[in-house]
Amino acid sequence: MQEAIKVLDAIAEKFQHDFQYDFQLMGAVAIDETGDPLPEKTLESCKRTDAVLLGAIGHPRFDNNPGATVRPEQGLLRLRKELGLFANVRPVRIFEQLKHLSVLKPEQLEGVDMVIYRELTGGIYFGEKNRTQDTASDLCLYHRHEIERIARLAFEAAIQRRGKLCLIDKANVLDSSRLWREVLQSMSTEFPEVILDYMFVDNAAMQMILNPAQFDVIVTSNMFGDIISDEASVLGGSLGLLPSSSAGNLTKLYEPCHGSYPQAAGKNIANPLATILSVEMMLRDFNLLQEADAIQAAAEYVVQQNILTPDLNTENPVTCSELGDAMASRILSM
Ligand code: IPM
Ligand code: MG
């Protein structure tokens, strides 16, 4: 987060903006300080502001304790719900110079350029939960309108891109998935220029590895989107590269797709690029295109120069803060 702010400050200086920050706690640190993963003060601030930039959350202290009743993730889920952030957008872009670091062979990465539209405030994440001593259930409920509004954004994105939209679901088994197909099928007449196809999520997980270039825009439910986007993110060499934006009716939110990487705490080795590229998405949404392009160019520069953290450069890595410094000074010297 510090490096993202550093880069944003460089943008402010370069383009003469005045960004005002209001720092608030969320997640494990908020639990420690207040007992609540999303304190009221934080939520109020998020509702008042023009955009929310969120650091990754999560802590193994909670992950490994299934009995924990208060968890960092609850803060994130509540924030998404409170801000009505139903559309989570996760663009997967591959840096040419990093292809050799991918788990796939470079030739399989040719033409990979996709964006995932993940439904973010419904489905199994938010359905009714039931627990007895020996049973547990999580309901996956979708309303037609919840599917329509994310699908509309995905169709519109497809028009701006290569005109392909793929719905990932499990319609051979799940009723909720069959509703998704029904809704998208009937909407597709409104978007004749978009080629709509469907893929079962198990097959999609495999296709993501076999032939990722086939995907243009993906639209999917909350849970499938969570899983498939982590898978897609490593195509480019590191989960530390994938940014995201979440939109609803109120304030938009920007966050990296990765977790909090607790193993890196205090070591200054985490990759700040996913958060910095989330800032780029934010600037683009504010229609500050030159500013966003400057961040993109600076990111391309550090990648080209191999000014990268240990996840992407094992030989002579830089620290997290050095990467932020390099991008900030690159922006100022443009
Ligand atoms: C993500 C994360 C979150 C999610 C967790 C931290 C609750 O994995 O944004 O992808 O599952 O949505
Ligand atoms: Mg996830």
Side-chain angles (χ1 to χ4, degrees), residues 131-167:
R131 180 65 211 260
T132 67
Q133 178 65 26
D134 294 320
T135 66
S137 68
D138 304 88
L139 181 70
C140 183
L141 174 70
Y142 268 111
H143 295 273
R144 186 177 290 274
H145 75 92
E146 291 175 307
I147 303 169
E148 268 167 9
R149 61 188 180 182
I150 177 96
R152 187 164 300 282
L153 295 178
F155 271 113
E156 282 162 2
I159 293 175
Q160 301 303 318
R161 293 172 50 97
R162 303 199 303 279
K164 283 167 59 179
L165 178 60
C166 179
L167 167 62

Side-chain angles (χ1 to χ4, degrees), residues 73 76 80 90 118 125 226:
E73 289 78 5
L76 179 58
R80 288 173 178 170
R90 300 184 161 186
R118 168 189 176 197
Y125 272 57
D226 179 44

Side-chain angles (χ1 to χ4, degrees), residues 17-282:
H17 294 301
D18 176 21
F19 298 118
Q20 284 164 15
Y21 307 121
D22 181 18
F23 296 95
Q24 298 290 342
L25 298 180
M26 207 195 86
V29 70
I31 296 176
D32 290 345
E33 297 235 341
T34 71
D36 183 350
L38 180 65
E40 208 46 43
K41 196 163 151 269
T42 301
L43 180 60
E44 278 312 304
S45 171
C46 291
K47 285 182 174 167
R48 270 199 318 267
T49 189
D50 295 318
V52 178
L53 182 62
L54 187 91
I57 60 136
H59 196 284
R61 182 167 97 235
F62 301 92
D63 298 346
N64 304 333
N65 174 10
T69 48
V70 180
R71 326 180 65 90
E73 289 78 5
Q74 290 162 343
L76 179 58
L77 298 184
R78 223 186 110 215
L79 183 59
R80 288 173 178 170
K81 199 72 174 178
E82 293 270 356
L83 297 178
L85 301 170
F86 65 86
N88 181 224
V89 181
R90 300 184 161 186
V92 179
R93 208 182 49 191
I94 312 287
F95 289 94
E96 193 61 39
Q97 297 81 358
L98 298 180
K99 277 186 173 165
H100 65 285
L101 297 175
S102 174
V103 288
L104 299 189
K105 298 188 196 78
E107 57 271 24
Q108 266 163 299
L109 292 169
E110 214 45 63
V112 170
D113 176 9
M114 72 182 95
V115 56
I116 299 169
Y117 277 69
R118 168 189 176 197
E119 199 291 322
L120 203 61
T121 51
I124 195 168
Y125 272 57
F126 291 96
E128 192 184 321
K129 294 175 187 300
N130 273 304
R131 180 65 211 260
T132 67
Q133 178 65 26
D134 294 320
T135 66
S137 68
D138 304 88
L139 181 70
C140 183
L141 174 70
Y142 268 111
H143 295 273
R144 186 177 290 274
H145 75 92
E146 291 175 307
I147 303 169
E148 268 167 9
R149 61 188 180 182
I150 177 96
R152 187 164 300 282
L153 295 178
F155 271 113
E156 282 162 2
I159 293 175
Q160 301 303 318
R161 293 172 50 97
R162 303 199 303 279
K164 283 167 59 179
L165 178 60
C166 179
L167 167 62
I168 293 180
D169 64 20
K170 190 72 186 173
N172 49 348
V173 177
L174 303 177
D175 256 332
S176 50
S177 286
R178 288 192 276 270
L179 181 61
W180 276 76
R181 282 204 187 193
E182 192 183 304
V183 170
L184 269 87
Q185 246 156 37
S186 65
M187 287 177 79
S188 68
T189 53
E190 271 181 69
F191 302 93
E193 61 274 67
V194 176
I195 299 168
L196 173 64
D197 66 1
Y198 316 92
M199 210 178 266
F200 297 139
V201 63
D202 49 348
N203 181 30
M206 184 178 70
Q207 294 296 330
M208 191 62 76
I209 303 296
L210 286 181
N211 178 15
Q214 71 185 289
F215 296 108
D216 180 12
V217 181
I218 288 173
V219 64
T220 189
S221 62
N222 203 343
M223 171 91 123
F224 295 153
D226 179 44
I227 298 169
I228 215 83
S229 62
D230 262 35
E231 192 190 9
S233 75
V234 291
L235 297 176
S238 171
L239 176 57
L241 292 172
L242 200 67
S244 85
S245 74
S246 302
N249 316 316
L250 292 159
T251 322
K252 283 190 166 193
L253 180 145
Y254 301 84
E255 60 174 322
C257 294
H258 59 69
S260 57
Y261 194 12
Q263 302 85 339
K267 295 188 189 154
N268 200 8
I269 56 168
N271 186 345
L273 275 167
T275 308
I276 294 172
L277 295 173
S278 300
V279 169
E280 179 199 330
M281 291 183 83
M282 177 185 81

